[in-house]
Structures are given as structure tokens and as C-alpha cells.
Amino acid sequence: MARQPIKFGILGCADIARKFSRAITLSPNSTLYAVGSRSLEKAAKFAKENDFPESAKVYGSYEAVLDDPDVDVVYLPLPTSLHVKWAVLAAQKKKHLLLEKPVALNVKELDLILEACESSGVQFMDATMWMHHPRTAAMKDFLSNSELFGELKSVNSCFTFAANQDFLENDIRVRPDLDAHGALGDTGWYCIRSILWASNFELPKTVLALRSPVFNKAGVILACSASLYWEDGKVATFHCSFLANLTMDVTVVGTNGTLHLHDFVIPFEENKASFSVATKSGFTELVTGWEPKPSEHHVTTDLPQEALLVREFSRLVGSIKFDGSKPEIKWPTLSRKTQKVLDAVKLSIERGFEIVEV
Amino acid sequence: MARQPIKFGILGCADIARKFSRAITLSPNSTLYAVGSRSLEKAAKFAKENDFPESAKVYGSYEAVLDDPDVDVVYLPLPTSLHVKWAVLAAQKKKHLLLEKPVALNVKELDLILEACESSGVQFMDATMWMHHPRTAAMKDFLSNSELFGELKSVNSCFTFAANQDFLENDIRVRPDLDAHGALGDTGWYCIRSILWASNFELPKTVLALRSPVFNKAGVILACSASLYWEDGKVATFHCSFLANLTMDVTVVGTNGTLHLHDFVIPFEENKASFSVATKSGFTELVTGWEPKPSEHHVTTDLPQEALLVREFSRLVGSIKFDGSKPEIKWPTLSRKTQKVLDAVKLSIERGFEIVEV
């Protein structure tokens, strides 16, 4: 007998929740089951506009979603400062937790969330979608190949977008009481994740923020850069910003190979994505050209990356619910490492660009 | 009456001189006229292997090239530590000077060279070939367009190659007595130049080396990174190395646009080159793809970039020689700015990663 799809409840009607609602609908093992907002009217409007099934529950509070015994998963796209409260509560109510990034204001808060998940035996995952694109696995194959890529030497990541005036004045991501990390928590989260991903999630030993952060009047970061250092000499840099044209680069250079992509967070197109690799690149005899040249690789996907995330999360939840499996520890571990580095960058900035141990 | 081609004399038989010999042959306004080596036999062999005309002069010393009254231009690809001696001497002998990079051990030495050129009224240019590729001008058009690119925000440049064991033990670029700047002087020179080029040659206010340099036993830099800061908040980073797969990236991000290329120093192919640009990049409605996407631009060239350099240099020399023009000050200015930033990076490393004013 086919298993029942995993039932998702959404807390709040954030813009990103629209994309996630579609992903839950697209994923074969999940269903949109409930949405809760502080306004019942808003919740009803959201459910209607995002193709919730007729039978879906619409609630006028977040608590009501958590109290619904049929909700398996809570997707939590609230502002970061509210994460610890609602995530811990959701976990205590035995809801599996899909948490938007940045997952917390700091690793201490995240640990409260992760401890609550652990003691309730629920699955935790952050909503970093690109991790679930098949391109990411294909790139990992390349980076893991000692012949083709060799030993990692450096990573550079850049995620910027040009926020408009309304965003820069009113978006939750520029408000110190809501998303206190600004661009570092938003686009910087992805840069840090990509660097950790490229380094097999080996934490850097130290972090140094570069001397170029831009703050708004409230002290929220609108742009910043940082450098990361490992014991073995690997080095990484990233730049994140709300103040420059949309750019999503990852460059990974090893002793034998190089990987490039320019759309790592959101692929240019939904159903196909590419990346460029080069191995043992050299020159023609008189150094007038490259030999071999880099090559472009294409990966197609039937489901967009956010639906693949939902499918994987629902699979893990199903294993726990139906088979008595344990939660997959990989996902909270990756979130925690990302948050640790983010905290270190923030601290380095606060300390006037001092070097900070991770 | 057609003007006589400009006569080039080459000092030494460095590997790069082979490529330049071909460039001098390819350029329509120049001719291979002389080569001097400390060994007459080596010079003769070089002339033969590099298609020097029958009439070309072959000398058993550098001095003999400088003393030949018919030599218009001296191309000087000797190790950096020898530049100041031979470049000053060449200028004093009224030879126009095409100098390999890095142009000098420091800006003080470079100033001796530039002063000698100025007082002799000869043209100076460094051999940074990619500056002369038509792609560079096409990219500059994009970066100069306030609508398409806007205001410059950040630059990242990376030039690495994987030197083999023989290079790492014996090449002049890893020997403190010859090319004391190692990877910083070799691949780092290009990174710095690309950053300055992108910022319209506005010098950064400060430079901070990142905490990741790798040295050989003799203290020569095999890999390093640095960050550059401007008054207006622009920031740039670069990574240069002899220890990682060949990579030649420049990424320039502005308020409205982004530029990418991955072969900025040596294009993948000799006669065509491309770059990618994006303007006012945004997302599809549900943020499931980009709209508009970046676009690829292709530039063809009949002559390779090194021949275009020789042609431009010969044109300037011809203007001086035949028309009484003054030397073009642009080229020594660019060299001097590049050297200034290079010196600042070196000093920042030597001072334990202190911030250094440029």
C-alpha cells in the first residue's frame, strides 16, 4: 500500500513560502496540509493563491498549526529573530522542522533548536535548496576525484543582488530586530555554505572579515567580505551584498582541476543547469592558447531543486514515521557548521577585523 | 613611401622571447633585427629557431645589442633583478623599451628606469599582452556604460597554475636572487593589473595581504592572496599561485552589471575570445530562474594579443621616430601603478598582514 504523503504546515505567509508551497505540491511524497498566519484572512488568501488542496487547514495563528496533530512537518520561513521560539516549540510538538536560513541569530540559539529536535526525535533540515540539485552531486563527484581535481587549494564565492529602495528601507533582511545579519545572513549564508561544501565541510581554523563592510543606519550589514583559513593552507574568500547586480559565483581550484559556476544558488533555468570544469589545464606550445580547454557539463532535472529538497526531507520524515528510523544527522550538522562560520565572520567584523578562531 | 618597420633587439633567450619573436614577425610594423645572449652560440640558435631574417644580427652580449645604432626597441625578458641595470642602460642608449613583467623589484627601481626613459625621450611599455586584445576594449566598453554596468562595487581575480617539480626547484621565478616576487610578481602581477584596469586605474587607498601566503625554503612566494580597498567602498580580492590548476578569472560586479571571464591573461584560443556580461539581472516570478540571463560575447582578432601589443608599441615608436611625437605616458603610468600595489601587498605580507597605505 502506498504511504500517505507527508503533511506540511507552513508558519507565516512569507514570499519564499510561495515558492515552497509549489515545491511541496510538486514533490511526490508531500502535501500542503496547513498554513497559519497571525491573520486568518491572510492565511486563507495564501492558501487560495498557492493551490492548497480544498481539504487544507487554514489557521489564524502559528500555534494552531503546531497543535494540529496531523501536521508532520513545519516549514518555518519567519524572520530569523523568531526562529528560536517557533522552531523549539514546533520540535516540542513533535513536528519535523524545515527551517529557512539563516537558521538562527547565533549558534547558541541554533543549539537550542537542535537540542529540541534531538530530544523529540524529529528531523531537522535548513532550506538551502541548491544542496539538493543533481548538479551539486555531479560537481561533488568532480571535486572528489583525486585525479581530475586533486587537493583543494582555494575557493571564492560571491552572491550579490541589487536590492531596490523599498527593500533597503523595509525588507525584514535590513531590520536589526528581525534579520540582524543582513546580507551576511542572507546571501552570505549561501557563500559560506558553498565554501564548506567545497571543503567537504571541514571547518576553517580561522576567519577574518575584510575591511569593507557596508552598514545601514541601523547597523545591519548591507555588504561584506571575509577570508577563511584552514590548517593545511587552503584559503577561501567570499563577498556578499545587497548593493550590486545579481551574481552567484563559486570557483573552486585544486591542484589538478578547476570548477566554475555562476548560478549556484538559483540555476539560470529551472530544469537544466551547467557548470564548467578543467583538469590539468596547460598551454599550447607557444602559450598562445589552452590545452586542454575547460569543458561545460549539463545536468537536467525533472523537479526543481526546492521540490527535490522537499522530496528528500519527506523521505527522511517518512522513514522515521513509518519505519522507525532515526533522524539523519547530516543536515543539522551542516547547518551548525554554516552558522559557526557566519558567527565568526560577524565577530571578526564586530572586533574591528580581528582574526577569529572558528 | 612606406615607413621602415621598427627594429627589435632582444636581450637574452628566455622562453617568453620565443612567443615575442613570433609576435614581432606577425606585427606588420616591426621586424626581428637582433638578439643578444651571453653566449653567441645560444643567440644564433635562438635566431635560427625563431625565424629571424637572414640579415638579423646575432650578438654574444647584451651590450652589443644596445650598442647597435640600428636597434629601435629593446625587448627585455631578463629576470626581474636584472631589469634596472639593463633597462636603464637601454634607455640611456636611446632604445625604446618593452619590458617584461614584473617590471622591477620595487617602485624605486622602476622609477630609475622610467626616469631614464623620460630623459632619453623613449617609449616605455610593459609586456602585459592581454591589455592589447580587442576583447579588453570590448569589456571596457561594458564597464564604462553607466546604464549597463553602473558603479563598480567589487572585483575578484585569480591566476594560478600548477608548476611542475622542475619549475618549483629551478625556475627563475622561484629564486630570490632573480625573481624575488615569485607568484606575486608573476601571476599576481596580472591579477593586480586586472583589478586596476577594472577600476579605471584608480589606485586603492589601502591593501591588506590575506593570511595565506605559501613560501619556498628560500622565502619566495609560491601562493598568496590580498584584498584592496578604495575610499568609496569598492573592494577587490585576488589569489595568485604556482600550486593550483591553471585558472585565470576576472569577475567585476557593479550596481547594474556583472562581467565574467576565465581566460583573461591568455585567451583559450588565439583568434577568438569571449566574455560574459549580465545587466540588471533578476528572477522569474517565483524565483525559479534568472531573467534576464547573462549573455556571452565573442571577439575575434586576426592578430594574437602579443602581436597587437608589438604593433601598438611600434606605432608609438614610429610616431616618435618619424613624426617627432612625445612618448605615450599612459603605459609607464599603468606599470607604475601596478608595481605600487604589488609593493604594498609584499609589504603587508612582510609586516605580518598589516594594512598598508598605497
Side-chain angles (χ1 to χ4, degrees), chain B residues 16-41:
Chain B
I16 184 72
R18 296 166 54 223
K19 183 174 182 176
F20 251 92
S21 295
R22 176 171 171 263
I24 293 162
T25 302
L26 286 172
S27 169
N29 55 354
S30 61
T31 187
L32 284 166
Y33 176 78
V35 58
S37 165
R38 284 167 300 178
S39 141
L40 182 63
E41 202 185 336

mmCIF file of all heavy atoms in Angstrom, chain B residues 16-41:
data_model
loop_
_atom_site.group_PDB
_atom_site.id
_atom_site.type_symbol
_atom_site.label_atom_id
_atom_site.label_comp_id
_atom_site.label_asym_id
_atom_site.label_seq_id
_atom_site.Cartn_x
_atom_site.Cartn_y
_atom_site.Cartn_z
ATOM 1 N N ILE B 16 59.859 33.080 -22.948
ATOM 2 C CA ILE B 16 58.815 34.010 -23.385
ATOM 3 C C ILE B 16 59.254 34.779 -24.639
ATOM 4 O O ILE B 16 58.428 35.238 -25.431
ATOM 5 C CB ILE B 16 58.431 34.976 -22.241
ATOM 6 C CG1 ILE B 16 57.266 35.903 -22.619
ATOM 7 C CG2 ILE B 16 59.618 35.803 -21.774
ATOM 8 C CD1 ILE B 16 55.941 35.211 -22.694
ATOM 9 N N ALA B 17 60.577 34.898 -24.840
ATOM 10 C CA ALA B 17 61.083 35.617 -26.013
ATOM 11 C C ALA B 17 60.736 34.895 -27.308
ATOM 12 O O ALA B 17 60.659 35.513 -28.375
ATOM 13 C CB ALA B 17 62.590 35.821 -25.903
ATOM 14 N N ARG B 18 60.499 33.590 -27.220
ATOM 15 C CA ARG B 18 60.091 32.840 -28.426
ATOM 16 C C ARG B 18 58.720 33.328 -28.890
ATOM 17 O O ARG B 18 58.497 33.578 -30.071
ATOM 18 C CB ARG B 18 60.039 31.347 -28.124
ATOM 19 C CG ARG B 18 61.400 30.756 -27.766
ATOM 20 C CD ARG B 18 61.269 29.380 -27.140
ATOM 21 N NE ARG B 18 60.498 28.483 -27.984
ATOM 22 C CZ ARG B 18 59.556 27.633 -27.542
ATOM 23 N NH1 ARG B 18 59.274 27.569 -26.252
ATOM 24 N NH2 ARG B 18 58.912 26.867 -28.368
ATOM 25 N N LYS B 19 57.815 33.449 -27.919
ATOM 26 C CA LYS B 19 56.471 33.924 -28.249
ATOM 27 C C LYS B 19 56.531 35.364 -28.779
ATOM 28 O O LYS B 19 55.830 35.723 -29.723
ATOM 29 C CB LYS B 19 55.595 33.857 -26.986
ATOM 30 C CG LYS B 19 54.166 34.260 -27.195
ATOM 31 C CD LYS B 19 53.369 34.006 -25.919
ATOM 32 C CE LYS B 19 51.905 34.351 -26.106
ATOM 33 N NZ LYS B 19 51.122 34.020 -24.893
ATOM 34 N N PHE B 20 57.400 36.169 -28.161
ATOM 35 C CA PHE B 20 57.501 37.558 -28.590
ATOM 36 C C PHE B 20 58.150 37.690 -29.962
ATOM 37 O O PHE B 20 57.805 38.585 -30.737
ATOM 38 C CB PHE B 20 58.241 38.398 -27.539
ATOM 39 C CG PHE B 20 57.303 39.322 -26.856
ATOM 40 C CD1 PHE B 20 56.672 38.940 -25.677
ATOM 41 C CD2 PHE B 20 56.954 40.533 -27.432
ATOM 42 C CE1 PHE B 20 55.740 39.762 -25.073
ATOM 43 C CE2 PHE B 20 56.026 41.370 -26.840
ATOM 44 C CZ PHE B 20 55.415 40.986 -25.662
ATOM 45 N N SER B 21 59.082 36.799 -30.247
ATOM 46 C CA SER B 21 59.710 36.835 -31.576
ATOM 47 C C SER B 21 58.645 36.615 -32.648
ATOM 48 O O SER B 21 58.600 37.316 -33.662
ATOM 49 C CB SER B 21 60.783 35.748 -31.673
ATOM 50 O OG SER B 21 61.826 36.033 -30.770
ATOM 51 N N ARG B 22 57.813 35.639 -32.398
ATOM 52 C CA ARG B 22 56.726 35.374 -33.349
ATOM 53 C C ARG B 22 55.819 36.600 -33.478
ATOM 54 O O ARG B 22 55.400 36.969 -34.591
ATOM 55 C CB ARG B 22 55.929 34.154 -32.881
ATOM 56 C CG ARG B 22 54.726 33.839 -33.741
ATOM 57 C CD ARG B 22 54.133 32.489 -33.345
ATOM 58 N NE ARG B 22 52.852 32.236 -33.989
ATOM 59 C CZ ARG B 22 51.668 32.463 -33.420
ATOM 60 N NH1 ARG B 22 51.603 32.940 -32.196
ATOM 61 N NH2 ARG B 22 50.561 32.197 -34.092
ATOM 62 N N ALA B 23 55.545 37.239 -32.342
ATOM 63 C CA ALA B 23 54.669 38.417 -32.344
ATOM 64 C C ALA B 23 55.292 39.550 -33.166
ATOM 65 O O ALA B 23 54.599 40.253 -33.909
ATOM 66 C CB ALA B 23 54.409 38.874 -30.905
ATOM 67 N N ILE B 24 56.602 39.718 -33.032
ATOM 68 C CA ILE B 24 57.301 40.774 -33.783
ATOM 69 C C ILE B 24 57.232 40.474 -35.279
ATOM 70 O O ILE B 24 57.041 41.368 -36.107
ATOM 71 C CB ILE B 24 58.768 40.904 -33.287
ATOM 72 C CG1 ILE B 24 58.783 41.420 -31.843
ATOM 73 C CG2 ILE B 24 59.584 41.815 -34.200
ATOM 74 C CD1 ILE B 24 60.092 41.192 -31.094
ATOM 75 N N THR B 25 57.335 39.191 -35.605
ATOM 76 C CA THR B 25 57.223 38.788 -37.008
ATOM 77 C C THR B 25 55.804 39.020 -37.529
ATOM 78 O O THR B 25 55.609 39.487 -38.654
ATOM 79 C CB THR B 25 57.601 37.291 -37.155
ATOM 80 O OG1 THR B 25 58.929 37.115 -36.665
ATOM 81 C CG2 THR B 25 57.517 36.843 -38.603
ATOM 82 N N LEU B 26 54.824 38.699 -36.712
ATOM 83 C CA LEU B 26 53.425 38.832 -37.136
ATOM 84 C C LEU B 26 52.984 40.285 -37.265
ATOM 85 O O LEU B 26 52.160 40.626 -38.115
ATOM 86 C CB LEU B 26 52.501 38.126 -36.126
ATOM 87 C CG LEU B 26 52.475 36.598 -36.140
ATOM 88 C CD1 LEU B 26 51.663 36.071 -34.963
ATOM 89 C CD2 LEU B 26 51.902 36.082 -37.467
ATOM 90 N N SER B 27 53.531 41.138 -36.413
ATOM 91 C CA SER B 27 53.102 42.538 -36.428
ATOM 92 C C SER B 27 53.602 43.210 -37.713
ATOM 93 O O SER B 27 54.771 43.083 -38.079
ATOM 94 C CB SER B 27 53.652 43.239 -35.186
ATOM 95 O OG SER B 27 53.460 44.623 -35.301
ATOM 96 N N PRO B 28 52.741 43.951 -38.395
ATOM 97 C CA PRO B 28 53.113 44.482 -39.722
ATOM 98 C C PRO B 28 54.128 45.624 -39.678
ATOM 99 O O PRO B 28 54.749 45.915 -40.706
ATOM 100 C CB PRO B 28 51.774 44.975 -40.284
ATOM 101 C CG PRO B 28 50.926 45.268 -39.071
ATOM 102 C CD PRO B 28 51.342 44.262 -38.046
ATOM 103 N N ASN B 29 54.312 46.242 -38.526
ATOM 104 C CA ASN B 29 55.191 47.421 -38.472
ATOM 105 C C ASN B 29 56.462 47.188 -37.659
ATOM 106 O O ASN B 29 57.051 48.113 -37.140
ATOM 107 C CB ASN B 29 54.416 48.629 -37.920
ATOM 108 C CG ASN B 29 53.783 48.323 -36.565
ATOM 109 O OD1 ASN B 29 53.835 47.170 -36.099
ATOM 110 N ND2 ASN B 29 53.207 49.337 -35.944
ATOM 111 N N SER B 30 56.849 45.920 -37.535
ATOM 112 C CA SER B 30 58.045 45.631 -36.730
ATOM 113 C C SER B 30 58.843 44.506 -37.372
ATOM 114 O O SER B 30 58.309 43.727 -38.167
ATOM 115 C CB SER B 30 57.624 45.216 -35.316
ATOM 116 O OG SER B 30 56.836 44.045 -35.388
ATOM 117 N N THR B 31 60.088 44.429 -37.002
ATOM 118 C CA THR B 31 60.915 43.343 -37.547
ATOM 119 C C THR B 31 61.921 42.871 -36.501
ATOM 120 O O THR B 31 62.390 43.657 -35.668
ATOM 121 C CB THR B 31 61.646 43.810 -38.842
ATOM 122 O OG1 THR B 31 62.294 42.694 -39.433
ATOM 123 C CG2 THR B 31 62.691 44.875 -38.540
ATOM 124 N N LEU B 32 62.200 41.576 -36.536
ATOM 125 C CA LEU B 32 63.230 40.989 -35.675
ATOM 126 C C LEU B 32 64.584 41.405 -36.242
ATOM 127 O O LEU B 32 64.952 40.994 -37.340
ATOM 128 C CB LEU B 32 63.103 39.468 -35.691
ATOM 129 C CG LEU B 32 61.965 38.859 -34.866
ATOM 130 C CD1 LEU B 32 61.762 37.397 -35.260
ATOM 131 C CD2 LEU B 32 62.264 38.968 -33.375
ATOM 132 N N TYR B 33 65.306 42.190 -35.478
ATOM 133 C CA TYR B 33 66.532 42.735 -36.030
ATOM 134 C C TYR B 33 67.786 42.184 -35.346
ATOM 135 O O TYR B 33 68.818 41.982 -35.997
ATOM 136 C CB TYR B 33 66.504 44.263 -35.914
ATOM 137 C CG TYR B 33 67.783 44.894 -36.365
ATOM 138 C CD1 TYR B 33 68.054 45.045 -37.734
ATOM 139 C CD2 TYR B 33 68.738 45.309 -35.440
ATOM 140 C CE1 TYR B 33 69.252 45.593 -38.160
ATOM 141 C CE2 TYR B 33 69.932 45.867 -35.861
ATOM 142 C CZ TYR B 33 70.192 46.005 -37.217
ATOM 143 O OH TYR B 33 71.375 46.538 -37.636
ATOM 144 N N ALA B 34 67.699 41.927 -34.041
ATOM 145 C CA ALA B 34 68.896 41.459 -33.326
ATOM 146 C C ALA B 34 68.515 40.674 -32.080
ATOM 147 O O ALA B 34 67.463 40.887 -31.494
ATOM 148 C CB ALA B 34 69.769 42.648 -32.917
ATOM 149 N N VAL B 35 69.405 39.758 -31.706
ATOM 150 C CA VAL B 35 69.263 39.085 -30.422
ATOM 151 C C VAL B 35 70.647 38.980 -29.796
ATOM 152 O O VAL B 35 71.632 38.722 -30.490
ATOM 153 C CB VAL B 35 68.595 37.690 -30.551
ATOM 154 C CG1 VAL B 35 69.359 36.769 -31.488
ATOM 155 C CG2 VAL B 35 68.438 37.021 -29.171
ATOM 156 N N GLY B 36 70.706 39.226 -28.495
ATOM 157 C CA GLY B 36 71.974 39.118 -27.791
ATOM 158 C C GLY B 36 71.851 38.186 -26.603
ATOM 159 O O GLY B 36 70.862 38.230 -25.870
ATOM 160 N N SER B 37 72.860 37.335 -26.470
ATOM 161 C CA SER B 37 72.900 36.446 -25.317
ATOM 162 C C SER B 37 74.322 36.454 -24.796
ATOM 163 O O SER B 37 75.246 36.849 -25.510
ATOM 164 C CB SER B 37 72.481 35.041 -25.754
ATOM 165 O OG SER B 37 72.843 34.096 -24.767
ATOM 166 N N ARG B 38 74.491 36.011 -23.553
ATOM 167 C CA ARG B 38 75.859 35.940 -23.042
ATOM 168 C C ARG B 38 76.644 34.899 -23.830
ATOM 169 O O ARG B 38 77.862 34.862 -23.811
ATOM 170 C CB ARG B 38 75.844 35.611 -21.551
ATOM 171 C CG ARG B 38 75.450 36.823 -20.713
ATOM 172 C CD ARG B 38 75.132 36.438 -19.296
ATOM 173 N NE ARG B 38 74.023 35.491 -19.252
ATOM 174 C CZ ARG B 38 73.542 34.937 -18.153
ATOM 175 N NH1 ARG B 38 74.085 35.209 -16.990
ATOM 176 N NH2 ARG B 38 72.534 34.105 -18.214
ATOM 177 N N SER B 39 75.912 34.005 -24.530
ATOM 178 C CA SER B 39 76.581 33.022 -25.386
ATOM 179 C C SER B 39 76.168 33.268 -26.834
ATOM 180 O O SER B 39 74.978 33.245 -27.171
ATOM 181 C CB SER B 39 76.169 31.607 -24.942
ATOM 182 O OG SER B 39 75.985 30.768 -26.052
ATOM 183 N N LEU B 40 77.159 33.529 -27.685
ATOM 184 C CA LEU B 40 76.895 33.790 -29.107
ATOM 185 C C LEU B 40 76.185 32.597 -29.744
ATOM 186 O O LEU B 40 75.271 32.737 -30.560
ATOM 187 C CB LEU B 40 78.212 34.084 -29.838
ATOM 188 C CG LEU B 40 78.109 34.437 -31.330
ATOM 189 C CD1 LEU B 40 77.312 35.720 -31.538
ATOM 190 C CD2 LEU B 40 79.501 34.607 -31.954
ATOM 191 N N GLU B 41 76.595 31.429 -29.304
ATOM 192 C CA GLU B 41 76.026 30.194 -29.847
ATOM 193 C C GLU B 41 74.524 30.106 -29.533
ATOM 194 O O GLU B 41 73.709 29.766 -30.383
ATOM 195 C CB GLU B 41 76.762 29.019 -29.201
ATOM 196 C CG GLU B 41 76.702 27.738 -29.975
ATOM 197 C CD GLU B 41 77.355 26.599 -29.171
ATOM 198 O OE1 GLU B 41 78.200 26.909 -28.293
ATOM 199 O OE2 GLU B 41 76.976 25.449 -29.401
#
